[in-house]
Amino acid sequence: MMPNKYKSILLIFIILGLSISIIPDIYRLAIAPSGTFFPLIHNHTGDYFYYLSLIRQGIEGNILLTSRMTPEHFSPALAQTFFAVLGWTAKILGIDNIAIYFLSRIITGGLLLFAIIFLARKVFKQNKSIILASFLAIFSTGFWIPTADKAKAL
């Protein structure tokens, strides 16, 4: 049985890991000039809008998805079904594709972090090893580089 102090540390890791992912988006949303809207874009812009287009097709009730990001014709196929399911969920909840994608990032990100900790607990027996393995798996990634160039910041 893991003592509460170790469980608290792991919970802090989860909260920090999720915060690192979503705080920049919330910040950009907060500083958007009046009369504009920041659509919670993260990582590669082209991928982001492609995912939103797939979710939109799910909102429209489709399970077979196609690419609407090119003039080429692609027959609808049973692919990227996660995004179709997100679209169906958005339709049921009455929210748009941007909101459901953002919520899915939080939920699936949390599930990933819990899975990392679950795996660490299965592989390692000592609590300190579990903490170290979880820390390294969650935080061993690239971080932002502070810059004076506002076009490159965050």
Side-chain angles (χ1 to χ4, degrees):
M1 184 75 177
M2 181 176 273
N4 284 340
K5 91 173 184 179
Y6 291 111
K7 289 180 182 177
S8 297
I9 291 169
L10 293 172
L11 182 61
I12 289 169
F13 288 174
I14 290 170
I15 292 168
L16 278 173
L18 289 174
S19 297
I20 288 169
S21 174
I22 64 171
I23 286 176
D25 295 330
I26 294 170
Y27 170 74
R28 289 183 191 115
L29 188 62
I31 65 166
S34 179
T36 65
F37 172 72
F38 175 68
L40 299 171
I41 298 170
H42 74 103
N43 294 340
H44 187 263
T45 306
D47 289 343
Y48 177 76
F49 286 109
Y50 178 66
Y51 301 151
L52 291 183
S53 76
L54 296 174
I55 294 169
R56 170 66 51 206
Q57 292 175 62
I59 290 171
E60 294 166 357
N62 299 316
I63 181 80
L64 302 177
L65 305 178
T66 187
S67 175
R68 295 180 177 169
M69 305 293 285
T70 178
E72 297 176 36
H73 175 72
F74 291 102
S75 297
L78 188 63
Q80 305 281 354
T81 53
F82 175 73
F83 296 107
V85 171
L86 283 181
W88 300 342
T89 306
K91 187 173 185 175
I92 291 167
L93 296 176
I95 58 179
D96 64 15
N97 54 352
I98 294 170
I100 195 70
Y101 183 71
F102 187 70
L103 287 174
S104 75
R105 284 181 52 214
I106 295 168
I107 293 167
T108 57
L111 290 173
L112 174 64
L113 298 179
F114 276 110
I116 288 169
I117 291 167
F118 176 81
L119 181 62
R121 291 182 73 178
K122 291 293 182 189
V123 172
F124 300 104
K125 300 299 177 218
Q126 293 182 339
N127 290 328
K128 289 182 181 180
S129 297
I130 294 168
I131 296 293
L132 180 61
S134 298
F135 176 82
L136 291 174
I138 294 170
F139 297 108
S140 292
T141 182
F143 286 97
W144 305 294
I145 299 171
T147 178
D149 183 356
K150 288 186 179 185
K152 293 182 181 177
L154 292 175

